[in-house]
Amino acid sequence: MILSIESSCDDSSLALTRIADCKLLFHTKLSQDSHHSHFGGVVPEIASRLHAENLPLLLSRLIDFLRTLSPNAPFAPLKAIAVTNRPGLSVTLSEGMCMANALALSLDLPLLCLNHLKGHIYSLFIDTPHAHIGEGLGVLLVSGGHTQILHMRDYEHITLVAQSLDDSFGESFDKVAKMLGLGYPGGPIVESYATGYSGALLPMPIPLLHDKRLAYSFSGLKNAVRLEIAKMQAHDNTHQEAQPTLREETKHRICASFQEAACTHILHKLRIYFQQHSVQFTHFGVVGGASANTLLRTRIESLCQEFGKTLMLAPLEFCSDNAAMIGRLACEAYMRKEFSPLNDTISPKSLPQDFENGL
């Protein structure tokens, strides 16, 4: 089996995956949401310190599980150590790499350094020995740091079709939540506020609506929300309070209006991708933490039905960052003997060889 480690941002996670059938045997995770909520986003230095505290705790849990399998030699069943080393926050990736190197060296096991985004794709195949992608798999990856359309022919051939020019889909939810003082992470909070509103929506711009490029952009929409908040604050505070506030109904309205525009933007570009490349894929997957958004899932499901594509969704518990998806990806890398030397090489971005460019 493979021991996998994930620490690319603010989730500490370890997992054990059986190589023979890619079965997830053990998974444990500690979130840092409560520590970053006050700041409205992830503070890298705090995240790094918490990984240094949490990863050993999770390793202790994992060892307890291993002892149930092999009491006298708990590490004997392990065949490799897998770790996320890109992309992500450098200071948090370093924590996972430090543990991975220590385990690989002390146990004399091969090391697999893996791409976090490819891990998200393989979250679709947790507990599945074969990656069923039909004649091709289109993928929408929406997370806190990335918004991408990817096209997968097989493990070795994954093409980057489109990505955000600035903010990501998930990041824009976090920033809207921060502007409204709603806390972190912004995705589920903004969605909750949006779901509770059924009135008229505020006019919001749809980014790149008349731009034929396959690309995303959320900075303009984010700024439109900021301007709308300022306007509504002036409207809601007729007595000129020292600290302008918004009525709860106004917060619900802003969240609903923003979410509608953000999802419309995602679907507008996806429709172009479907129209241009529909013959090249039969399955379509949605992955990443922000893929848990119900409105987005519903809209994409309708799009897949319209074009006759099989929709694939990762289980909700494996949408956000986790070591289970890294373990599933690691099974593929292990079978191909894509081992890495012991090192501390990390990268905040994907490497040029990780993805192909252009279909």
Side-chain angles (χ1 to χ4, degrees), residues 19-37:
I19 299 170
D21 57 1
C22 301
K23 177 72 175 177
L24 177 64
L25 301 177
F26 176 86
H27 176 248
T28 183
K29 174 176 171 176
L30 284 173
S31 173
Q32 302 178 6
D33 289 350
S34 61
H35 298 273
H36 299 288
S37 181

Side-chain angles (χ1 to χ4, degrees), residues 120-143:
H120 273 303
I121 296 175
Y122 274 83
S123 68
L124 296 169
F125 311 120
I126 292 172
D127 283 334
T128 304
H130 302 290
H132 298 290
I133 63 173
E135 296 177 11
L137 174 69
V139 178
L140 173 70
L141 192 159
V142 278
S143 67

